Amino acid sequence: MKLRGAISGFGEVAAQGHLPGWIAREDVSIVAIQDPVAERRQLAMRLLKSARIYDDLGLMLDGEAPDFVDIASPPAFHAKAIRTVLDAGAHVLCEKPLCLELAQFDALTRLAAARSRILMCVHNWKHAPAFAVARHALASGRLGALRFISIDRMRTEPAGGAGKWRSEKSSGGGILIDHGWHAFYLMQWLMGDAPLSVSAFLAHQEATDLEDIADIRVMFPGDRMVRAHLSWRSPVRQTKTALYGDQAMLEIDGDRILLTERSGHSEDLTVEDAPDDSYHSTWFGKVVEDFERAIASGSSGPVASRNHAEARTALKLIEAARQSARSGGSAVILQA
């Protein structure tokens, strides 16, 4: 039996990233789309003629009683929408960040558990082909004991340009919420451990006080470190990651992947991927598979539990990075 789903918030990531991922699934049917903006509702009508279109989330839930809702609205609206959907008895898959405050996060995960519903955040970079290669290299021991990761996300401006949620503080924008969230769950996944402390430098747009540069150091057990540099002021777009252990280094530069052993021998491990368009519909299809597995195994199952742990720690790291920046970059120890 097909799962009946709905999408709440039909911005560009929903239209270009999520919807193609859902349509590709034979075991899922998107029966409704909700967005308060008339222009986005009109686009939804053109892209998915079989779906019913709503301007109000509550009305959609009452009228459709979907099995799940994919929430892709701006971050500031996530917590309220998640609560509304869980109270209606549906599972939730939500775009990052799950919410903006740790107290909200804990309240929402308790509600999901009480309702026996799945609540998951979209951690799509884990499903990028390049990171699948990195994960395999780590698991097979080719790098040896992992010591260091660097994550660089250079952009000339926020995705979507000015005027979108990423550029609006009131909507939950800023580079820590956008690229920082991805960096924080990726580093946990690759290190296979929980971080101990964070230190950060943040720069802000003068007019809006919005974070648009972040330079971050995160310490893990065993003196292992991750450095992340995130910028919306770069003259060029670059996406780079490097990992090294005691045996080899793996460098990811866009689509190119190079493994260099201690001996100096290098191997090209490049894999094909779709163009880097900020929406990554092929990666989202893998997120959907995780979500369906979580529904099958329950809210206490390993898929949902791992996702909750990554998301909660990502939020803790964002809060601690801001605290560190306010104190001149001093290290902030992460509390449980």
Side-chain angles (χ1 to χ4, degrees):
M1 184 176 178
K2 281 189 175 185
L3 286 171
R4 298 175 66 258
I7 299 174
S8 175
F10 202 66
E12 290 303 306
V13 73
Q16 298 191 45
H18 292 208
L19 185 59
W22 290 119
I23 290 174
R25 305 288 301 181
E26 294 183 356
D27 51 357
V28 173
S29 178
I30 298 298
V31 299
I33 295 174
Q34 175 267 325
D35 196 289
V37 179
E39 179 184 359
R40 305 309 301 181
R41 294 197 300 273
Q42 291 166 9
L43 177 63
M45 291 176 193
R46 293 196 297 272
L47 293 180
L48 195 62
K49 299 184 186 303
S50 61
R52 288 168 288 280
I53 311 301
Y54 292 80
D55 63 357
D56 181 83
L57 177 58
L59 289 176
M60 182 182 73
L61 292 167
D62 288 343
E64 303 295 336
D67 296 313
F68 71 86
V69 176
D70 174 4
I71 296 173
S73 53
F77 306 109
H78 287 179
K80 183 178 179 181
I82 290 169
R83 180 173 291 278
T84 300
V85 174
L86 290 174
D87 281 337
H91 301 290
V92 177
L93 179 64
C94 185
E95 255 300 332
K96 54 85 182 166
L98 202 63
C99 58
L100 297 175
E101 297 176 4
L102 199 57
Q104 283 181 335
F105 184 96
D106 291 339
L108 292 171
T109 52
R110 286 195 300 268
L111 178 61
R115 298 284 190 272
S116 296
R117 299 294 89 182
I118 294 300
L119 170 60
M120 282 181 60
C121 192
V122 176
H123 289 175
N124 59 336
W125 273 87
K126 291 171 62 175
H127 298 291
F131 283 102
V133 171
R135 182 78 169 184
H136 182 265
L138 287 168
S140 64
R142 295 200 66 183
L143 301 188
L146 183 60
R147 307 301 310 165
F148 175 82
I149 303 173
S150 68
I151 298 173
D152 294 306
R153 298 291 180 267
M154 314 284 197
R155 303 291 185 263
T156 59
E157 62 177 355
K164 305 296 184 181
W165 73 260
R166 291 172 177 83
S167 304
E168 299 171 350
K169 196 169 185 178
S170 61
S171 296
I175 202 161
L176 273 181
I177 290 294
D178 188 14
H179 293 289
W181 188 276
H182 292 303
F184 290 149
Y185 68 71
L186 277 175
M187 63 178 69
Q188 296 174 65
W189 181 60
L190 292 170
M191 281 292 190
D193 216 336
L196 300 176
S197 66
V198 60
S199 56
F201 164 82
L202 304 177
H204 299 75
Q205 296 174 356
E206 191 171 333
T208 63
D209 195 36
L210 194 77
E211 303 154 347
D212 62 353
I213 295 178
D215 197 77
I216 303 162
R217 302 290 188 277
V218 182
M219 297 304 300
F220 284 78
D223 292 327
R224 295 175 297 156
M225 184 177 77
V226 179
R227 179 198 63 82
H229 185 78
L230 319 170
S231 177
W232 286 338
R233 300 189 198 177
S234 173
V236 296
R237 180 188 179 96
Q238 285 190 347
T239 303
K240 293 184 177 181
T241 304
L243 310 85
Y244 73 74
D246 54 10
Q247 297 300 318
M249 171 180 282
L250 185 75
E251 299 169 273
I252 303 171
D253 185 355
D255 293 334
R256 184 169 177 265
I257 308 170
L258 183 69
L259 186 142
T260 305
E261 297 174 349
R262 180 178 286 276
S263 65
H265 172 74
S266 293
E267 182 178 351
D268 188 340
L269 300 179
T270 300
V271 290
E272 284 191 23
D273 193 7
D276 184 2
D277 62 0
S278 297
Y279 304 114
H280 310 298
S281 61
T282 56
W283 305 357
F284 184 75
K286 298 293 186 180
V287 173
V288 170
E289 291 179 16
D290 283 348
F291 184 56
E292 290 188 74
R293 280 197 294 271
I295 291 174
S297 59
S299 58
S300 61
V303 177
S305 297
R306 185 164 53 246
N307 183 270
H308 285 177
E310 290 172 351
R312 190 176 192 275
T313 301
L315 192 52
K316 285 167 59 179
L317 283 164
I318 288 172
E319 292 183 352
R322 288 173 175 158
Q323 181 183 344
S324 171
R326 288 192 297 268
S327 64
S330 60
V332 173
I333 305 300
L334 297 177
Q335 305 298 320

